Amino acid sequence: MKRPNGKSIPSVTHLSAFDAVARAGTMTAAARALSLTQSAVSKQVAELQAFLGVPLLVRLEGRLVPTHAGERYLHRIRPALAELEEATLQAQATREAGEPRGHLTLSVPATFGAMWLLPRLSGFARQHPQIVVNLSTKIGPVPLPSPTLDAAIMYVPGQRDPGLWYQPILPLKVHPVCHPGLGGPRASPAGLLREQPLLHQASTPDAWETYVAARGKGRLTARAGPRYALLSMGLEAATAGLGVALLPDYVVADAVARGSLRLLDPEPFAIAGGYMFVCPRQHQHAPAIAAFSAWLSGTAREAFRGEC
């Protein structure tokens, strides 16, 4: 394998072959996945190992598995291969006239994206048909800047990175909710909070303690219930009668209207921080980011007025 332009960069074809074998465990399965012959894949992996001068794969119990060096190498090349694929797809997504489209690659919280953003996103598409919005999701804080993301929508509880630009979208307002039959037909909201498991969200671990202290319902005890990574999981758990959840109004509104959840406190409770649009500070005026952030801000203001 020749060094392209004299640099120590192996062929993408060889990297893809190594990645495929590491995933599949055999040359035969990797060859099927790549639509190549087994001998071609074997040759590419052998040439990559010779190029690097280190063994990348070892046979263990009938399967090919990465060596320690191979694992470290995979950890570095897989994001690069994904970025190359994304860049290629974006380059291919051009107008018929050949003018490149604008692109915005955005990470959003899974439940917020599915229940709040996506139902409204057609409005942005109508206003800015030249901009393609690519969405992905990640549990927890999103590291920015990122080679695969332009920006993110995330819950920001307080502390901010000075290198990032933050645009507030919505405050985080929650309600305690549970299945209508939980605790029996005469169960009071205060009794349910005392007696039933409390369902927690990983993104707001102190929400219940803050709510109880602010609303004067006494201190929580050690009988606190399970913790969920996604708001949608908390919603499903509450609907299934597993306990009392403290969830945002946009998450519970439909279930309350259908009667599948009981609202224990009609007055929304504001959690510190809120949902924000975040990007590297130096990119906040990039055309696609500026257009999306302006649309998002206006859409959030309209939604917030409608909820008041």
Side-chain angles (χ1 to χ4, degrees):
M1 180 171 55
K2 295 181 179 178
R3 297 175 183 265
N5 300 322
K7 297 179 180 178
S8 297
I9 304 174
S11 162
V12 173
T13 302
H14 290 69
L15 295 176
S16 297
F18 169 49
D19 179 42
V21 174
R23 293 179 189 275
T26 68
M27 293 288 181
T28 302
R32 284 197 300 266
L34 296 172
S35 299
L36 296 172
T37 65
Q38 179 180 341
S39 60
V41 174
S42 179
K43 182 174 183 291
Q44 290 169 1
V45 172
E47 289 180 349
L48 177 62
Q49 292 184 119
F51 180 82
L52 296 173
V54 295
L56 298 175
L57 296 165
V58 63
R59 188 169 296 279
L60 183 63
E61 297 181 354
R63 290 178 59 84
L64 290 170
V65 298
T67 63
H68 185 58
E71 286 282 6
R72 292 201 310 268
Y73 195 51
L74 280 171
H75 181 71
R76 300 294 297 274
I77 68 169
R78 278 176 172 163
L81 289 172
E83 174 65 8
L84 282 171
E85 183 179 26
E86 177 64 22
T88 301
L89 291 173
Q90 289 192 8
Q92 291 172 338
T94 58
R95 293 186 178 184
E96 292 181 1
E99 180 183 348
R101 291 180 181 269
H103 283 83
L104 178 66
T105 302
L106 184 68
S107 175
V108 299
T111 308
F112 181 88
M115 301 186 73
W116 192 93
L117 180 62
L118 281 173
R120 296 170 168 84
L121 200 55
S122 61
F124 179 78
R126 287 192 297 269
Q127 292 180 25
H128 301 278
Q130 79 282 7
I131 299 176
V132 175
V133 180
N134 303 312
L135 297 181
S136 64
T137 188
K138 182 184 183 301
I139 297 175
V142 179
L144 290 173
S146 164
T148 58
L149 292 173
D150 298 310
I153 294 174
M154 65 179 97
Y155 168 66
V156 180
Q159 187 175 0
R160 303 185 186 184
D161 185 330
L164 301 177
W165 178 68
Y166 296 81
Q167 174 181 278
I169 303 171
L170 288 174
L172 183 57
K173 294 187 175 183
V174 297
H175 296 271
V177 293
C178 68
H179 187 275
L182 189 68
R186 296 186 179 182
S188 67
L192 287 167
L193 289 175
R194 285 195 306 270
E195 299 163 8
Q196 297 298 326
L198 302 181
L199 310 180
H200 298 264
Q201 297 300 142
S203 58
T204 54
D206 301 323
W208 269 117
E209 185 175 358
T210 304
Y211 171 81
V212 171
R215 293 290 160 93
K217 301 182 186 300
R219 295 184 60 83
L220 293 181
T221 67
R223 90 207 165 313
R227 191 175 307 277
Y228 298 100
L230 299 178
L231 293 173
S232 57
M233 293 179 177
L235 174 66
E236 293 300 323
T239 304
L242 296 180
V244 184
L246 196 59
L247 295 170
D249 37 17
Y250 76 86
V251 173
V252 304
D254 286 347
V256 170
R258 291 193 307 268
S260 56
L261 282 180
R262 176 187 176 188
L263 202 64
L264 301 183
D265 187 346
E267 184 67 24
F269 179 72
I271 300 292
Y275 290 105
M276 298 191 181
F277 178 83
V278 186
C279 71
R281 187 170 294 278
Q282 68 270 28
H283 297 159
Q284 70 182 85
H285 299 300
I289 288 178
F292 189 84
S293 63
W295 169 82
L296 188 60
S297 178
T299 301
R301 283 196 301 270
E302 291 178 7
F304 184 70
R305 282 198 298 267
E307 294 166 358
C308 292

